[in-house]
Each structure stands twice: as structure tokens, then as C-alpha cells.
Amino acid sequence: MLLSKRPALARLMTVVQSSCQSRVCTFSSTSSSYDASSSPNASSVASSFLSRFQSQGPQTRTQVLDANQLQLLSLTLDRPTLYPGTSDLSRNAPPPPNGTPVPPGYHLVYFTPAFLEHELGADGTDTSYNPDAPFTRRMWAGGEVRWPRDANGKPNLLRVGQEVKETTRVLSAEPKVVRKTGEEMIVVGVEKTFENEDGVAVVDQRNWVFRKALTSPPPAPNQQQTTSAPSPASSSSSSDPSSAGKKKIHKRSFCRSPVTLFRFSALTFNPHKIHYSVPWARDVEGHKNIVVHGPLNLISILDLWRDVRQEERSKSDDDESSLISVPQSISYRATSPLYADEEYEIVLEDLGHESKVNIYDHDGVIAMKADIKES
């Protein structure tokens, strides 16, 4: 079992899960070393960080949602169309027209971080919401995304060509300690809202965990052999409608290639080295290969859910709502990394107005959990 071979990670995730009930983890290092004997403690750094951002207030950016970005994401996901019955987007086809709804989760390729290379951390990540040293090793520890409804119960859809405002607020900065190891860390809570001319369309809450910078090389990564991949960036799906009662099980398998991870990093302007540099991921971070992005898995979960819902609704409806399924919310967290060129499976348990999701790695270990709620 992958998690059992990493007791330190398991202990860390116990602390993270107790502090943040719905999280997703990706691992990084923005500094290679520090002087442990003279480093400040987590409480003082967290207090200073929170005071600084509370005095600054919310940070805002405005952007027009670009059709080309949406087209390239759909192709990166190996989805030739955005919705059933819409135009094919591959082979130099034109991008989606203005007014095309942005599928749930696809907002993650907009409002990408904009920094010069020398302004990035040692691992390539942006440091815009980092606490001071030595707490510079960032993990995306989880989150919840919500799609508010209007008085009629309809979501306010983001659409291609709209001018959208992103507002980022720092909600919290809490010092934490792993009981068994004494390791200090800081949990930073951030909220991003996305508004168009009709008001708030998406509320994206994230918690980042910041650990101390590495003082020595990590343990040698697990060099176990992986199963052969059926094809790069491949996916397949199946459903089991025979489950008892209203519960239905839907499955989709993936094997993400290095090319897919590179393209997703490029689209999100995310130069985090664990997603494309094998030497960094293996020799600095202690992974056995480059790591699949947490947001990529979040989008894949949402794609499976909306494919299931759209298939059900297309049997009875012909209007736009039959093509565009948007949940009320999704909360998610990861417990173990997933790697390029290894098969993994998303399993969605459909309970009617709620879905439970697990992602299993190639050893059958749960790597991510999610709960999807509908209106």
C-alpha cells in the first residue's frame, strides 16, 4: 500500500484532515534549505502573514474569458467536444463561440498566476500567498467549489467572452503541529470568487498547507515497477446500473502521460517542477515520478459527474439545461499522490441528489475523495 510506505505523510494528512474537512494535496518545495536553529515558529509567522494580508484587503483581477483557452483545455483532457452534439474542437477547428458556457471546474485555467521567472520559488511555484521562511513548502491541501443559484434555482454560468472579476481573500492562517513528529506547519485558507455581469458565478475555497523548507535530501523514492499503460493520456469509462435501490456506480480509468501533464501545466501557467521534471520530483521531493495535478483530477471528477447527468437528462430534455449540468458544490481532498504513466480509476457512487467519489491508484489505494451535492 502506497500510504503505508509513507508514515510521515499519513501523520501529516491526519493533521490536515482534522483541520480542513475537504482538501486536495499536491506537494512542493519552494526553498531547498534553511537554518533550523534560528527559524521562527509557526505561530509567529502565521500571525505576521495574516496581519499583512488583512491590512491589504481583497485582491482583484479582471479578465475576459478566452475561447482559445477553453478549447485547448478540452483537447488536453482528450475531449474533442465540450458538450454532446457540439462542434468538434480538434484538428485546427475554430474555438467555441462567445456565449458558450464554461463547464464546471474549467474556471481553473483562467486567472493564472502572472510572475517573472525570478519571482518564482525554487520549485517553480508562485509565492503570492506564501508565509515567510522557513514555511515555504506548499501543499494544496483541499477545497470546496460552489456554484450559487438564483431565486429560480438556476446557476449563473460563466461564458466565453464575458468579462469576469476574480476576488481573492485570505480567510485564515493557523499554526499546526503533527503530534507524533512535532513538525510545525501553517494552514492558509483562501477564497476566490468569480463574478460576471449577473453576479457571483463561482466560489472557490482552498486551503494550502505550508511546511518548513527541506534541510536534507528526502528518502529514496519507491522504485516499484508500474503496470503498463494502455496508451498515453488514455481514459475509459463504464457504468454499473444494476446496483440495488437508487445507488449506481460509474467508473472511469485514466493513465496520464507526461505530455498531458505538461500541457495542463502550460494552460494553467503552472511551472511547478513536480509536474514535469523527473529529477526534481524524484531527487528533491522524494516522489517516484512526476505527479498528476490535483486540479486536473478535480476536473476529471466533475467531467465524469456531468457526463452521467447529461446522459440522463438528454433522454427527456432538448434545451440548454440538458447539456449543461452544474452541481451545487463539490468538496474534495487527497490522501496520496498519483503519478504519470500509472493507471488509476475514478469511482462515482450516485446516490440521487448526492454523489460520493473515490479515486483509486494502481495499487487500489484511495488517492482522492470527493462529495458532490446537487440543488
Side-chain angles (χ1 to χ4, degrees), residues 92-159:
N92 297 318
N98 280 354
T100 299
V102 175
Y106 285 36
H107 70 282
L108 290 165
V109 298
Y110 295 104
F111 295 95
T112 58
F115 294 92
L116 297 169
E117 184 173 340
H118 75 267
E119 297 171 327
L120 301 173
D123 65 347
T125 58
D126 75 272
T127 60
S128 52
Y129 291 95
N130 281 24
D132 293 332
F135 297 95
T136 55
R137 202 152 47 108
R138 188 176 72 188
M139 301 163 51
W140 189 351
E144 179 183 44
V145 185
R146 292 182 283 113
W147 292 266
R149 266 48 177 176
D150 63 17
N152 297 317
K154 300 292 185 181
N156 173 22
L157 301 174
L158 295 176
R159 297 178 183 270

Side-chain angles (χ1 to χ4, degrees), residues 145-338:
V145 185
R146 292 182 283 113
W147 292 266
R149 266 48 177 176
D150 63 17
N152 297 317
K154 300 292 185 181
N156 173 22
L157 301 174
L158 295 176
R159 297 178 183 270
V160 170
Q162 285 182 336
E163 183 175 274
V164 175
K165 182 175 73 172
E166 176 205 60
T167 302
T168 303
R169 298 175 177 84
V170 173
L171 303 178
S172 61
E174 301 180 32
K176 298 291 180 181
V177 177
V178 180
R179 288 184 181 178
K180 292 186 178 181
T181 65
E183 179 188 0
E184 288 188 302
M185 65 188 70
I186 296 173
V187 181
V188 173
V190 173
E191 178 186 84
K192 293 177 177 285
T193 60
F194 300 87
E195 300 175 72
N196 57 21
E197 64 269 23
D198 296 318
V200 175
V202 180
V203 180
D204 187 341
Q205 293 182 332
R206 305 169 188 175
N207 276 65
W208 293 317
V209 169
F210 292 90
R211 302 168 67 189
K212 287 185 177 180
L214 295 171
T215 58
S216 60
N222 182 7
Q223 298 293 337
Q224 69 186 63
Q225 296 295 316
T226 62
T227 56
S228 58
S231 63
S234 66
S235 68
S236 62
S237 16
S238 63
S239 298
D240 180 10
S242 61
S243 301
K246 294 184 178 180
K247 184 172 67 174
K248 298 180 181 179
I249 304 298
H250 305 274
K251 302 177 181 181
R252 182 168 292 170
S253 59
F254 291 92
C255 184
R256 298 297 190 187
S257 72
V259 172
T260 298
L261 302 192
F262 175 81
R263 295 174 86 180
F264 190 79
S265 289
L267 273 173
T268 54
F269 207 53
N270 174 14
H272 192 177
K273 293 178 184 178
I274 63 169
H275 301 305
Y276 62 86
S277 171
V278 173
W280 181 277
R282 182 187 58 210
D283 301 333
V284 177
E285 296 285 358
H287 293 286
K288 60 181 176 180
N289 199 357
I290 54 176
V291 180
V292 179
H293 308 69
L296 177 56
N297 289 322
L298 171 61
I299 291 172
S300 297
I301 289 173
L302 288 166
D303 278 345
L304 174 57
W305 175 86
R306 70 184 179 95
D307 288 346
V308 170
R309 287 292 175 264
Q310 286 163 5
E311 182 178 357
E312 293 172 348
R313 294 177 182 177
S314 64
K315 297 175 182 178
S316 57
D317 296 321
D318 295 323
D319 60 5
E320 185 184 67
S321 64
S322 68
L323 297 178
I324 305 166
S325 298
V326 180
Q328 186 159 335
S329 68
I330 179 171
S331 58
Y332 60 99
R333 61 181 175 87
T335 56
S336 184
L338 295 164

Side-chain angles (χ1 to χ4, degrees), residues 19 38 44 61 68 81 148 163 201 367:
S19 173
S38 61
S44 63
R61 293 189 292 171
N68 184 66
T81 63
E163 183 175 274

